[in-house]
Amino acid sequence: MTLMPPLSTTDTPLLQVDGLTKRYGSRIGCLDVSFDLFPGEVLGIVGESGSGKSTLLSCLAGHLTPDLGRVAYDGRDTLTMAETERRRLSRTDWAYVHQNPRDGLRMGVSAGGNVGERLMAVGARHYGGIRDKASDWLGRVEIAADRIDDRPTAFSGGMQQRLQIARNLVTGPRLVFMDEPTGGLDVSVQARLLDLLRGLVRDLGLSVIIVTHDLAVVRLLAHRLMVMKGGRVVEQGLTDQVLDDPQHAYTQLLVSSVLQV
Amino acid sequence: MSDYNFAYLDEQTKRMIRRAILKGIAVPGYQVPFASREMPMPYGWGTGGVQVTAACLVPEDRLKVIDQGADDTTNAVSIRKFFQRTAGVAVTEATTEATIIQTRHRIPETPLTEGQILVYQVPIPEPLRFLEPRETETRKMHELEEYGLMHVKLYEDIARHGQIATAYAYPVKVEGRYVMDPSPIPRFDNPKLSGNCAIQLFGAGREQRIYALPPFTKVVSLDFDDHPFHASKAPHDCDLCGAKHSYLDEVITDDAGGRMFVCSDTDFCSGRRTAGHIGRLGTDPAHSRPHPSPTNAEGGSLPPRGERMGVGAHRQVGSA
């Protein structure tokens, strides 16, 4: 796959996850998940609905508190650090792209304000500077400059999703969590969004954890793949290896269930 | 005097409110929850301010109540009467003579002095409310000093109107820590919040919050580097007293586009007129006191503000 963004050569992981477990009462959210994520690496997590993908992502991003296990970002334990620090990380070093852009955007605030919010949250106090940066980012996600003062309610689904991405990337995060970023979009819009994402990931050297049930998305974006079922990781490896030569029965089922057009 | 306890509220309630006030003064700008009582007036008419005033009043106090700067509008008159009846305290219209001033939407033009208490009526104490509807989240934001969102509101103003269009309830930062809603005072009054000699107390009855600014607290209005805060007012002089630097109300005088600008602070305006200052439409103050028949601006003598604006015509102020 020559189109894939190149893997960086650093050998210290950006994110280390060890034995992560989250239960909802007696039910399992996710069980004993461990992996390392290296700088510039894109990790795909696939599995059917209810397999614990989103629970895992929420635990990693600090939206949920796991019951057991350890998450270290850049060598620092994110579960024991002060909430101030974790929230600062989540608006500077991290980004979270929701499946539904309405969850990640402020619908009552203009596109420029949405992109500028994170800048203002980290102390930007120059209106002209914020606006320049916002219009630059709108350009990067292919939103026309004259839409900067429109509210997201006036945008199409694909535009809203691109706006959400711009809003998240404007502070130059190093780690991006994506929860089904292409869900609910039609195929041609999906293709453009994937193209855009791939370009951004490559240009900015982002580390990404992308949760999806769409195998085509991980085929295009992810270096490595984790397959989850019933809260457990059943198989992981390089994307092409897992998709072309699935070992676990569930992965084989998953791969063979994709409709061929 | 009546069968009510002094200043209407029972002593335990006043104690509870005083505790909240002390805590508010100890942590300037922090919203202290308190068990707000039902008061004999509707929410939005100053139930929070009235409770704070009641908790602060002592029999020796001299009370002034203003509503939008005026001493003679319904809200001010009824609250003043309320305390005359339930506490029997002396009342005044003069800012300099008052020991407690309860205010709605204005800070008096005359500088306050040490020992005075200014009590604000606050409808919505949470400055982040219209940006973030969840109370749990706004509390967290105050706790962690996450105030970027406040600037998003100002950004939206500039993006839409070319300037910061927030003209009242302009958010401020107190001593570099809490972002605070100064109650709906015009932003013209914002600079007076900072370094004020008087104690400033804020009471929100419906929302059950009290917050405070102790004397000489540093209060900064939020802004952008390239769009700095400025205190704005109508670009006119007072038509009655000729004051150049006081906050003005616009009064429509007829249906042919006639209008006049008058000081919103009635005490300040009449004080200046008594001292001999006369504005464009002003006359000798001796002749401009209550007038039985309605007159227009050209007629020279004007009825008192309350009557001009069609609200309560009670003028038994200071007769206690």
Side-chain angles (χ1 to χ4, degrees):
Chain A
M1 263 224 143
T2 50
L3 287 172
M4 292 296 276
L7 258 178
S8 91
T9 48
T10 6
D11 48 6
T12 39
L14 186 67
L15 190 75
Q16 288 171 288
V17 181
D18 193 20
L20 200 73
T21 300
K22 171 77 187 171
R23 291 172 192 275
Y24 299 106
S26 58
R27 293 175 207 284
I28 294 170
C30 59
L31 196 69
D32 197 21
V33 178
S34 305
F35 65 90
D36 287 345
L37 184 74
F38 290 86
E41 190 181 28
V42 180
L43 173 70
I45 303 176
V46 294
E48 61 196 6
S49 296
S51 60
K53 312 182 295 275
S54 296
T55 298
L56 175 61
L57 200 68
S58 297
C59 286
L60 297 177
H63 300 168
L64 287 176
T65 314
D67 301 324
L68 282 175
R70 209 178 68 90
V71 180
Y73 172 77
D74 220 1
R76 286 177 295 165
D77 191 330
T78 64
L79 301 179
T80 56
M81 68 169 56
E83 190 175 7
T84 335
E85 206 180 337
R86 189 165 56 237
R87 282 176 74 125
R88 185 173 310 124
L89 270 183
S90 70
R91 50 176 201 266
T92 52
D93 270 28
W94 296 352
Y96 195 100
V97 178
H98 293 263
Q99 171 173 13
N100 186 344
R102 281 164 191 274
D103 296 336
L105 291 172
R106 290 194 188 276
M107 300 308 281
V109 168
S110 70
N114 263 297
V115 178
E117 181 179 346
R118 272 170 81 109
L119 292 171
M120 292 182 249
V122 296
R125 291 293 178 263
H126 191 280
Y127 174 80
I130 293 165
R131 203 165 164 84
D132 288 347
K133 205 143 186 195
S135 53
D136 173 45
W137 268 97
L138 290 183
R140 289 207 214 180
V141 297
E142 299 163 15
I143 293 175
D146 62 349
R147 302 298 301 270
I148 189 168
D149 290 331
D150 291 350
R151 294 186 177 182
T153 38
F155 286 7
S156 69
M159 279 171 84
Q160 286 180 357
Q161 195 56 282
R162 294 203 300 274
L163 179 61
Q164 192 194 180
I165 288 164
R167 168 187 159 91
N168 272 290
L169 297 187
V170 66
T171 48
R174 296 166 66 199
L175 176 58
V176 185
F177 302 102
M178 294 189 190
D179 191 0
E180 310 259 9
T182 56
L185 302 177
D186 63 58
V187 281
S188 59
V189 175
Q190 241 184 57
R192 276 175 57 202
L193 187 76
L194 286 173
D195 225 29
L196 176 79
L197 278 177
R198 198 162 52 179
L200 289 172
V201 167
R202 187 175 48 217
D203 295 347
L204 305 172
L206 299 174
S207 301
V208 181
I209 297 180
I210 183 166
V211 159
T212 181
H213 50 233
D214 188 340
L215 293 181
V217 170
V218 285
R219 172 79 89 174
L220 269 171
L221 281 177
H223 300 110
R224 276 199 303 135
L225 198 58
M226 259 169 50
V227 183
M228 291 186 72
K229 183 175 189 322
R232 289 175 176 80
V233 176
V234 294
E235 183 166 359
Q236 58 177 320
L238 295 175
T239 305
D240 294 344
Q241 182 191 331
V242 174
L243 292 183
D244 295 339
D245 183 18
Q247 301 295 308
H248 191 274
Y250 173 70
T251 318
Q252 291 168 356
L253 180 75
L254 199 68
V255 171
S256 61
S257 338
V258 175
L259 291 175
Q260 300 296 326
V261 189
Chain B
M1 208 40 201
S2 62
D3 294 334
Y4 289 115
N5 188 36
F6 177 75
Y8 185 75
L9 293 173
D10 62 277
E11 293 304 313
Q12 285 305 316
T13 300
K14 286 197 269 185
R15 226 176 119 177
M16 173 271 293
I17 295 171
R18 286 177 197 138
R19 277 206 196 109
I21 293 172
L22 288 175
K23 185 169 180 184
I25 288 177
V27 193
Y30 171 70
Q31 300 168 42
V32 185
F34 79 110
S36 176
R37 298 290 191 251
E38 291 277 343
M39 295 303 281
M41 61 185 71
Y43 287 128
W45 285 60
T47 52
V50 163
Q51 289 178 76
V52 171
T53 303
C56 292
L57 269 183
V58 291
E60 298 76 40
D61 268 322
R62 189 180 294 274
L63 179 70
K64 171 182 163 81
V65 185
I66 51 176
D67 170 12
Q68 304 268 13
D71 288 276
D72 54 5
T73 50
T74 333
N75 202 190
V77 169
S78 58
I79 291 175
R80 187 162 44 222
K81 273 185 158 177
F82 174 74
F83 281 117
Q84 275 179 283
R85 185 182 295 175
T86 59
V89 292
V91 296
T92 180
E93 285 195 13
T95 304
T96 47
E97 289 171 15
T99 53
I100 296 188
I101 303 171
Q102 180 170 337
T103 177
R104 172 172 175 264
H105 300 189
R106 270 319 301 280
I107 299 176
E109 303 287 352
T110 314
L112 301 175
T113 52
E114 279 182 55
Q116 286 185 312
I117 299 176
L118 185 60
V119 178
Y120 296 79
Q121 301 171 193
V122 182
I124 293 165
E126 179 51 73
L128 302 160
R129 177 57 68 238
F130 292 109
L131 303 157
E132 175 54 65
R134 289 167 293 177
E135 176 69 19
T136 48
E137 185 64 18
T138 54
R139 281 194 209 184
K140 188 121 279 182
M141 290 160 88
H142 282 294
E143 178 191 338
L144 301 174
E145 271 188 87
E146 289 184 0
Y147 291 131
L149 198 52
M150 207 68 248
H151 273 85
V152 172
K153 176 178 162 20
L154 301 179
Y155 170 95
E156 288 291 289
D157 263 8
I158 303 175
R160 199 161 311 156
H161 306 289
Q163 57 174 331
I164 298 178
T166 304
Y168 66 95
Y170 193 104
V172 293
K173 195 161 201 180
V174 180
E175 286 290 342
R177 177 59 181 87
Y178 285 100
V179 164
M180 185 190 94
D181 181 345
S183 88
I185 58 171
R187 72 175 179 195
F188 174 83
D189 282 341
N190 268 23
K192 295 184 215 162
L193 291 164
S194 190
N196 203 314
C197 306
I199 296 176
Q200 300 174 76
L201 305 175
F202 299 78
R206 179 180 43 207
E207 305 284 326
Q208 314 201 320
R209 293 289 184 279
I210 285 173
Y211 50 105
L213 296 174
F216 309 109
T217 306
K218 188 177 159 214
V219 179
V220 179
S221 304
L222 301 179
D223 59 4
F224 285 104
D225 296 344
D226 48 347
H227 286 264
F229 170 83
H230 71 99
S232 59
K233 69 182 274 277
H236 296 272
D237 298 346
C238 174
D239 283 334
L240 295 180
C241 75
K244 289 185 186 328
H245 303 294
S246 71
Y247 192 73
L248 301 175
D249 283 344
E250 184 180 13
V251 181
I252 309 293
T253 51
D254 54 37
D255 57 2
R259 63 194 58 204
M260 64 187 295
F261 289 89
V262 293
C263 291
S264 102
D265 187 336
T266 51
D267 169 54
F268 177 76
C269 196
S270 63
R272 274 177 59 87
R273 277 181 288 157
T274 312
H277 298 278
I278 297 177
R280 188 173 63 92
L281 302 171
T283 52
D284 191 333
H287 301 293
S288 65
R289 292 311 276 178
H291 201 284
S293 62
T295 49
N296 60 24
E298 286 80 20
S301 93
L302 283 153
R305 271 276 291 299
E307 289 174 30
R308 279 207 316 269
M309 305 180 97
V311 284
H314 312 277
R315 297 209 30 106
Q316 299 133 338
V317 179
S319 61

